[in-house]
Amino acid sequence: MKYARIGILLSLAAAAFSMEMPPDETKDAKYKSGEVHNNIVKAKEATWNREKSTGAMNSSHYHELGFAACKDGKAEAVAGDASNTFRCGNIDLYSFRSHVSLGSPEGEGSSSWGWTSDDGREFVAIGQSDGTAFIEILSNGTISYLGRLPQYSTPIIWRELRGYKNYMVIGSEAVGHNIQIFDMTKLLEQDHMSPKTFSNADDLTGLFTDLPVGRSHNIVINEAKNYAVSVGAMPRNSTCRAGLIFIDLTDPSNPTTPGCAAQDGYVHDAQCVEYKGPDSAYLGRDICYGYNEDTLTIYDVTDKANSSIISRTSYEGATYTHQGWLLDEEWQDFLVMDDEYDELEKAGAAADGLPVTYIWDVSDLKKPKQTGLYKSGTPAIDHNQYIKDGLSYQSNYGAGLRILDVSSIRKDPTGNGVKEVAFFDVYPEDDGEAGGGLVDFVGSWSSYGMFKSGYIFVNTIERGAFVVKRNDL
């Protein structure tokens, strides 16, 4: 067995550093009621309204940028201009386009996801408050804008999207938006000289409408099992309690739901996989790792109409369990996780305002152990992270894109071997702050680092779209 060689060492390390704990039932009630989530939303909106009042959200202020090498820790895209000089390490800037130049007068960037065509071309879907923009990253790293798909109801900054085969699955927190299913192959023949505004009436492959009020917080994909999941689909008192709502995508033109997992209430984000890990009791089962505000909740969802919770575990410093990703989708023995509110609340290991990446040993699905952590060196809030080939691509709001080498975790689950190998700071406005950063909801919302070319896409709230690439490989 592939796990036998290191199982004893991992068990000893987990026992020595374990920081998991049962959920605090007193605090848990504040999460279940939505009180904590509502407070976070208010804090975000206060920041963004302040930025609107100063003009920072008007993306027309930010001009198109080309290549700028990272030299002596800075990529100076415009000579002598501090607002277009970006702190960096081992990453060069290749191009930048503002939200308005990508067809969005509203701007306010959010999620992003990539798609690679059969012939190797690389495309990105970009979440904005008033819809989804589509670009191609050309071989020289230039952004080529191809068109956009408008929102289905009203503009709102929370727009999350994920790729399923050659489709992009798009959700929004806007009431009545539903979930759009768009065929990315429509972009293959699209002329960048005449960007197209696609039609919700004519250009969608499918539209999933079986949500309580048509809104969802996030989209999760299990491509191997041909389904998506809507998570955080309010209200909390609906039948599915804003939990996991499964969407069968076997026929993307006719998405249907086989059921939902409501047992732990609101789910903020999740990762769902066919289980291949070391817990033999669940081999071949359909497992979802839920990031549920104050817990890591692991589900068996093999039977979508009759799912169950395997375990529900909190941890020291839990403030708002936000998102995470398996270290390796083949081994499935560890995952890393971020907490979106611990830096603001100065909780636990994040009391100094430095972003914390929590490390979990999930080799026993019934008894996951929080074995260690990694602390970033720049004050910020960690938001989203995705892993490819032992590297975690993190979007840490004002600190921008951070790339961590997490390949050592299996041998040292304390996190002592984790190291930052590259970064690109997209928010120079906070460079003069103490420690070089702000603990606030500004800067980078998402990134996508899965392209074979090595180009990395970063979507920012205020400015727009960056394409960068490591220069040390």
Side-chain angles (χ1 to χ4, degrees):
M1 292 292 290
K2 61 184 177 182
Y3 305 99
R5 297 189 301 273
I6 56 176
I8 295 175
L9 288 175
L10 295 185
S11 296
L12 291 172
F17 297 99
S18 182
M19 292 173 279
E20 74 284 346
M21 59 183 60
D24 184 322
E25 296 304 328
T26 301
K27 292 181 179 179
D28 195 51
K30 294 184 178 181
Y31 290 95
K32 295 305 182 190
S33 70
E35 178 183 340
V36 176
H37 185 232
N38 290 338
N39 289 339
I40 295 174
V41 169
K42 289 177 182 177
K44 291 180 178 181
E45 290 178 336
T47 291
W48 299 333
N49 286 335
R50 184 183 70 246
E51 289 202 303
K52 288 177 183 178
S53 70
T54 64
M57 287 289 218
N58 181 354
S59 71
S60 64
H61 293 164
Y62 310 111
H63 303 297
E64 184 172 351
L65 303 174
F67 179 82
C70 180
K71 296 180 179 179
D72 301 321
K74 293 183 179 181
E76 191 176 28
V78 178
D81 183 355
S83 67
N84 284 298
T85 298
F86 306 96
R87 292 185 301 181
C88 55
N90 295 330
I91 292 182
D92 296 328
L93 171 66
Y94 275 76
S95 58
F96 165 81
R97 291 281 297 269
S98 68
H99 286 303
V100 71
S101 78
L102 299 176
S104 172
E106 295 282 343
E108 301 179 19
S110 55
S111 183
S112 55
W113 205 258
W115 172 69
T116 302
S117 66
D118 290 343
D119 59 356
R121 295 166 64 187
E122 297 175 342
F123 299 83
V124 182
I126 304 168
Q128 299 162 325
S129 65
D130 49 3
T132 303
F134 300 112
I135 67 165
E136 180 176 3
I137 300 177
L138 303 181
S139 59
N140 62 359
T142 299
I143 293 172
S144 177
Y145 172 53
L146 301 175
R148 62 185 297 98
L149 178 68
Q151 81 281 354
Y152 209 86
S153 55
T154 57
I156 192 170
I157 190 171
W158 286 277
R159 185 174 312 282
E160 290 288 341
L161 41 86
R162 298 292 183 271
Y164 168 74
K165 299 184 178 179
N166 57 286
Y167 301 96
M168 203 58 63
V169 184
I170 306 167
S172 167
E173 284 276 16
V175 172
H177 182 276
N178 302 305
I179 294 177
Q180 301 160 303
I181 302 171
F182 180 81
D183 188 346
M184 294 290 282
T185 64
K186 288 179 176 288
L187 305 177
L188 294 176
E189 302 301 324
Q190 182 58 42
D191 183 0
H192 74 278
M193 297 298 293
S194 302
K196 179 178 180 178
T197 298
F198 293 95
S199 165
N200 279 303
D202 300 327
D203 290 314
L204 291 181
T205 296
L207 183 70
F208 180 74
T209 60
D210 199 3
L211 297 174
V213 294
R215 63 181 285 195
S216 64
H217 179 73
N218 214 329
I219 300 296
V220 177
I221 298 291
N222 186 334
E223 188 166 299
K225 295 291 188 178
N226 297 310
Y227 71 86
V229 189
S230 168
V231 301
M234 297 290 197
R236 290 173 184 255
N237 62 358
S238 61
T239 300
C240 293
R241 298 178 60 206
L244 303 167
I245 298 178
F246 304 106
I247 306 168
D248 187 345
L249 294 178
T250 303
D251 178 1
S253 68
N254 183 33
T256 58
T257 179
C260 65
Q263 299 94 328
D264 195 29
Y266 182 92
V267 179
H268 195 77
D269 206 339
Q271 184 180 12
C272 298
V273 297
E274 179 181 352
Y275 190 69
K276 305 174 185 177
D279 195 335
S280 59
Y282 295 95
L283 281 175
R285 306 290 289 179
D286 198 349
I287 302 298
C288 289
Y289 302 85
Y291 302 96
N292 292 14
E293 301 190 291
D294 63 335
T295 65
L296 168 63
T297 302
I298 303 177
Y299 303 80
D300 184 338
V301 303
T302 307
D303 181 351
K304 304 295 182 293
N306 190 31
S307 58
S308 61
I309 291 177
I310 299 172
S311 61
R312 183 171 179 267
T313 314
S314 192
Y315 52 97
E316 183 179 326
T319 309
Y320 199 80
T321 310
H322 181 261
Q323 187 263 351
W325 209 250
L326 287 166
L327 192 68
D328 187 309
E329 291 188 39
E330 292 299 317
W331 285 66
Q332 298 179 5
D333 49 354
F334 283 88
L335 61 79
V336 292
M337 183 184 79
D338 44 80
D339 186 306
E340 193 180 20
Y341 215 42
D342 52 351
E343 292 87 10
L344 271 176
E345 290 288 287
K346 301 185 183 303
D352 55 6
L354 297 178
V356 176
T357 300
Y358 296 90
I359 299 168
W360 288 81
D361 177 347
V362 290
S363 56
D364 183 341
L365 295 182
K366 291 182 179 179
K367 297 179 180 179
K369 297 182 181 300
Q370 202 263 296
T371 61
L373 52 85
Y374 169 82
K375 288 176 65 68
S376 178
T378 301
I381 298 172
D382 42 357
H383 192 219
N384 290 310
Q385 60 185 319
Y386 301 97
I387 293 176
K388 180 186 179 185
D389 297 335
L391 298 175
S392 176
Y393 294 84
Q394 300 189 341
S395 295
N396 287 357
Y397 279 112
L401 170 70
R402 301 280 158 163
I403 304 178
L404 306 183
D405 183 341
V406 294
S407 61
S408 64
I409 287 176
R410 186 169 289 112
K411 292 183 178 179
D412 181 3
T414 67
N416 287 337
V418 176
K419 58 183 179 181
E420 182 176 278
V421 294
F423 76 94
F424 193 89
D425 186 337
V426 297
Y427 193 77
E429 289 84 351
D430 69 356
D431 287 358
E433 299 291 332
L438 277 175
V439 179
D440 206 351
F441 303 105
V442 297
S444 170
W445 182 297
S446 65
S447 62
Y448 186 83
M450 311 296 186
F451 286 131
K452 185 177 180 180
S453 66
Y455 288 122
I456 305 165
F457 179 84
V458 183
N459 194 15
T460 66
I461 297 168
E462 303 86 0
R463 293 183 179 230
F466 289 80
V467 172
V468 299
K469 190 175 185 179
R470 288 181 65 178
N471 58 26
D472 62 332
L473 297 177

